[in-house]
Amino acid sequence: HKNKDQCKNWKPPKPADDCIHNGGERFFTSSNDAASGPSQVTLTQTFNSFQDSSLPPGQVATKNLPDLLSALGLDLTKKQIKEAKKQLDPDNTGSFSLFQFLMWWARYIVCTAFSG
């Protein structure tokens, strides 16, 4: 196109500082990746399988986040898990909702796509 010089030097933006990964590393350990990762149905079903009857309906205990992510094929470092917990449970209530998780997941996928 007529502005090809502008495109020649274009680079994708760097991930936001609060993305949980650094240096463009990818953390998917199974065949799940940004292009073929789990569907919203799978995310929801997996989330629901981690609900605890001691919490209000629709909530998962923050302490169960590593197991939830592992069930979805993610292998994060302890530092990344700590950051994810802060993002999912900023008020330190001890739990997070499906909506919070889906929003976090979408952001994670976007960060992975831009850094990947």
Side-chain angles (χ1 to χ4, degrees), residues 17-38:
D17 290 340
D18 57 351
C19 282
I20 63 168
H21 34 94
N22 27 353
E25 267 183 87
R26 296 181 66 120
F27 303 103
F28 288 98
T29 58
S30 71
S31 63
N32 296 334
D33 63 24
S36 64

Side-chain angles (χ1 to χ4, degrees), residues 15-86:
D17 290 340
D18 57 351
C19 282
I20 63 168
H21 34 94
N22 27 353
E25 267 183 87
R26 296 181 66 120
F27 303 103
F28 288 98
T29 58
S30 71
S31 63
N32 296 334
D33 63 24
S36 64
S39 67
Q40 183 174 344
V41 170
T42 300
L43 290 169
T44 300
Q45 289 172 341
T46 306
F47 178 92
N48 289 340
S49 74
F50 281 88
Q51 289 188 52
D52 184 332
S53 62
S54 68
L55 295 171
Q59 298 283 311
V60 165
T62 306
K63 68 181 181 182
N64 292 333
L65 181 62
D67 293 332
L68 171 59
L69 295 177
S70 180
L72 291 166
L74 290 180
D75 182 26
L76 303 180
T77 66
K78 288 181 182 183
K79 181 179 178 183
Q80 293 162 331
I81 291 288
K82 184 176 179 179
E83 181 61 31
K85 284 180 178 181
K86 281 197 278 186

